[in-house]
Amino acid sequence: MTADQPVSRERESSEEVLSAVPFGLRVAAAVSWRALVIAGALTVVGFLAVKLASVVVPVAVALLLAGLFSPAVSLLTRKKVPRGLATAIVLVVGIALAGGVVTFVVIAVTAGMPGLIDQVTVSVTDLHTWLRAGPLHLSQGQLDEMLGNLTAMLGRNKSVIASGALTTAVTVGELLAEFVLVVFCLIFFLAQGRVIWVFVLRAVPARLRDRVDVAGRSGFTTLAHYIRGTAAVAFVDAAGIGLGLVIIGVPLAAPLSTLVFLGAFVPVIGSVIAGAVAVLVALVTKGALSAVIVLAVVVGVMQLESHVLQPLLLGRAVRLHPLAVVLALAAGLVVAGIVGALLAVPLLAVFSSGVRSLTARPDPD
């Protein structure tokens, strides 16, 4: 008996055991352990992202803004402007525009708030009259009891309200720190984005470097198209709804239009919530008929967005199924709230574009 015989017998025995296992079960087991490895890796990445959210979120926002501002920097660079100076010009103009919009909104709110308070006071008086003389026929004692219950509830929650105010103050401080980090990262992404990407590629094995490079560039291109298209859609939404509010005479039209613009960056639900706020303000200040007209304007603008603007501006660049968008949005809301909803869809678009690029067949030599 040779030394190879025990080895061959063991091999034959293992093959017999393997053949006894149904083929479907073997495939399921192979897929399952690979799926578990991928799920474990994603869990670790998600855990680290949540723990380092104060760093990850500013970097992600800076990438979004880099996709928005990079065409302007590239245009100035083609005009023989040094890239560092072009980055500085674009950032200064962008911050100036954002500051101007914030200042305009604050002035509009300050100017319109007295009139809004007067109209709300009239609406409350009308509501009080309707509760007493309307179908409910509530007595003054019942109304006083309702008001007393509301006052008592606020009194019981004073500590909660105070802690919420303190939390808000802390949050403002954190937001300022994260804003500084966003600007800092954005400067380097615009000025040295290619150098940073080449440095990151060094961590990839040499045989895969070219394909990863193509996938990364494809993902960033998708991100840039997404943020620019979303900004254009948001501008049209804000302009359309804002014009309707001005024509109807709803107060605080400018702040509400700004809210619509910001809400459009959260797919599906952002514009709906902002439009609902506009309808509520119209109902409180101008009555039911004006609220119905504002609702019609909001629905019309949303239809224009979903059937014309998004397919035209985003359809070719961001190829995502509506179900994937809704699921990504829901997952983002559960994991990170509003910030997660803001970042979930663009991250999914980048991931999808990168995977399509990596799995595409290489061009023949």
Side-chain angles (χ1 to χ4, degrees):
M1 180 180 294
T2 63
D4 294 336
Q5 288 179 343
V7 176
S8 62
R9 289 180 179 177
E10 292 178 2
R11 183 181 298 113
E12 292 176 357
S13 177
S14 63
E15 290 177 354
E16 291 177 358
V17 173
L18 185 62
S19 63
V21 180
F23 177 76
L25 184 58
R26 295 202 300 266
V27 172
V31 172
S32 297
W33 74 258
R34 288 175 172 85
L36 288 175
V37 170
I38 295 174
L42 292 177
T43 301
V44 172
V45 172
F47 176 79
L48 293 177
V50 172
K51 288 296 183 181
L52 301 175
S54 58
V55 176
V56 174
V57 172
V59 173
V61 173
L63 280 174
L64 290 175
L65 294 177
L68 181 63
F69 292 149
S70 58
V73 175
S74 300
L75 177 62
L76 292 176
T77 303
R78 289 194 296 269
K79 299 294 184 181
K80 307 302 180 181
V81 178
R83 193 167 188 87
L85 180 59
T87 299
I89 293 173
V90 171
L91 284 177
V92 170
V93 173
I95 293 175
L97 288 176
V101 171
V102 171
T103 302
F104 174 73
V105 170
V106 171
I107 293 175
V109 170
T110 303
M113 191 58 67
L116 178 63
I117 293 174
D118 293 339
Q119 290 178 331
V120 170
T121 302
V122 173
S123 299
V124 170
T125 303
D126 293 340
L127 176 62
H128 183 274
T129 303
W130 181 82
L131 289 174
R132 293 197 61 186
L136 298 180
H137 292 290
L138 297 180
S139 64
Q140 185 63 42
Q142 291 174 315
L143 293 176
D144 292 339
E145 182 180 358
M146 292 172 57
L147 181 60
N149 292 334
L150 178 60
T151 304
M153 183 188 67
L154 293 177
R156 289 193 301 267
N157 291 276
K158 280 184 179 179
S159 59
V160 177
I161 297 172
S163 62
L166 180 60
T167 303
T168 302
V170 174
T171 303
V172 170
E174 293 177 352
L175 288 177
L176 290 176
E178 292 177 3
F179 174 76
V180 173
L181 183 57
V182 167
V183 174
F184 186 78
C185 293
L186 181 59
I187 291 173
F188 285 99
F189 287 159
L190 292 176
Q192 300 180 354
R194 296 178 182 176
V195 177
I196 296 173
W197 177 240
V198 170
F199 175 79
V200 172
L201 282 177
R202 293 179 183 176
V204 180
R207 62 186 181 85
L208 300 175
R209 196 166 293 164
D210 291 339
R211 293 181 66 84
V212 173
D213 182 25
V214 173
R217 293 179 185 273
S218 174
F220 182 76
T221 300
T222 300
L223 178 67
H225 284 298
Y226 172 85
I227 191 65
R228 295 170 203 161
T230 302
V233 171
F235 178 80
V236 174
D237 288 351
I241 295 177
L243 180 61
L245 295 176
V246 171
I247 293 175
I248 298 170
V250 178
L252 304 180
L256 291 174
S257 300
T258 304
L259 180 63
V260 171
F261 177 81
L262 296 176
F265 285 90
V266 179
V268 182
I269 63 172
S271 299
V272 174
I273 294 176
V277 173
V279 173
L280 180 61
V281 173
L283 176 64
V284 172
T285 59
K286 303 294 290 184
L289 178 60
S290 297
V292 171
I293 297 175
V294 171
L295 178 61
V297 172
V298 171
V299 172
V301 171
M302 294 300 103
Q303 292 297 313
L304 175 66
E305 172 191 335
S306 60
H307 291 90
V308 178
L309 296 178
Q310 286 192 353
L312 180 64
L313 298 176
L314 297 174
R316 296 179 181 178
V318 184
R319 292 179 292 174
L320 294 177
H321 193 276
L323 178 60
V325 173
V326 173
L327 292 178
L329 184 65
L333 280 171
V334 171
V335 174
I338 298 299
V339 175
L342 175 65
L343 299 178
V345 176
L347 289 179
L348 178 62
V350 171
F351 178 78
S352 175
S353 177
V355 169
R356 287 198 303 267
S357 179
L358 282 174
T359 57
R361 291 183 178 271
D363 296 332
D365 295 333

